[in-house]
Amino acid sequence: MDKSPDAFRTISEVADDLDLPQHVLRFWETRFPQIKPLKRGGGRRYYRPDDVELLKGIRHLLYDHGYTIKGVQKLLKTNGNKFVMAVATGDVATMEALVAAGQSHGDDPKLGDDDQVVGQPKARASRFFGFGGGDDDIPEVSLGKGSINKEDRALLQETLFDLLECKRLLDQVR
């Protein structure tokens, strides 16, 4: 029997739904204070529907778009939980509204390049309103006599992302 959409979920149900090990969800609770499952006797965790949507958004940003934990933390701090939940569902209208509301309050929703994104995201960063920078933000790197141009750097970043994805898949199999 399936649960109703607004029923609480156990950690095993959420882990299966997100295709993640349970220990990853417990680890994310230590890194993202916004994740607050209800804890019952014996330490059992029960996730609210909003918690599950937030976890989906975090997973999407970390695994599909190559954000670091620090980058997702800044996104949550700058734009709030609803923005990350909207990322999970692909609700662009909500994302735009939340970004516009943040800009009207003087907040700057953009993130820096240096520690926010690992590798090249599969989807263009411009889809998320420039978070994580775009190709124009890639500086030319000088290495002694030679240098790496923007195209080579983009290829290296894409390769790094592919390798990280391969590692993640291998870790799941083990």
Side-chain angles (χ1 to χ4, degrees):
M1 175 165 43
D2 288 334
K3 291 185 175 181
S4 81
D6 43 331
F8 285 29
R9 306 276 191 251
T10 65
I11 192 168
S12 62
E13 291 171 328
V14 175
D16 289 343
D17 187 33
L18 297 176
D19 193 28
L20 292 170
Q22 293 178 18
H23 70 269
V24 171
L25 297 176
R26 290 187 204 99
F27 173 73
W28 285 357
E29 285 177 36
T30 66
R31 296 295 183 246
F32 302 104
Q34 297 86 353
I35 303 171
K36 297 175 193 143
L38 182 68
K39 291 186 183 175
R40 293 287 183 179
R44 278 185 265 170
R45 291 167 168 80
Y46 292 95
Y47 293 88
R48 299 167 190 86
D50 283 349
D51 292 330
V52 176
E53 287 303 311
L54 181 59
L55 287 166
K56 286 179 182 179
I58 291 170
R59 183 193 186 290
H60 185 67
L61 290 168
L62 290 173
Y63 290 122
D64 298 336
H65 290 281
Y67 278 84
T68 61
I69 287 178
K70 188 175 180 182
V72 176
Q73 288 170 337
K74 283 189 178 183
L75 266 179
L76 283 164
K77 183 179 178 185
T78 305
N79 300 307
N81 295 3
K82 291 186 188 288
F83 179 84
V84 175
M85 287 188 237
V87 168
T89 59
D91 187 358
V92 177
T94 300
M95 287 188 284
E96 288 174 343
L98 290 168
V99 168
Q103 286 176 337
S104 69
H105 288 66
D107 297 337
D108 184 12
K110 285 198 169 220
L111 295 174
D113 287 331
D114 53 349
D115 59 355
Q116 306 314 316
V117 179
V118 176
Q120 184 71 22
K122 287 182 180 175
R124 302 314 275 159
S126 61
R127 179 172 177 220
F128 291 103
F129 317 104
F131 296 110
D135 290 338
D136 297 336
D137 296 335
I138 299 173
E140 192 165 305
V141 178
S142 176
L143 299 172
K145 292 182 181 180
S147 65
I148 299 175
N149 61 25
K150 290 181 184 179
E151 294 82 22
D152 290 339
R153 182 163 180 203
L155 285 172
L156 286 171
Q157 286 179 326
E158 186 176 332
T159 303
L160 175 62
F161 182 81
D162 290 342
L163 287 171
L164 290 170
E165 182 68 14
C166 289
K167 182 185 181 305
R168 184 184 69 81
L169 292 171
L170 284 172
D171 289 342
Q172 284 182 346
V173 172
R174 291 182 190 164

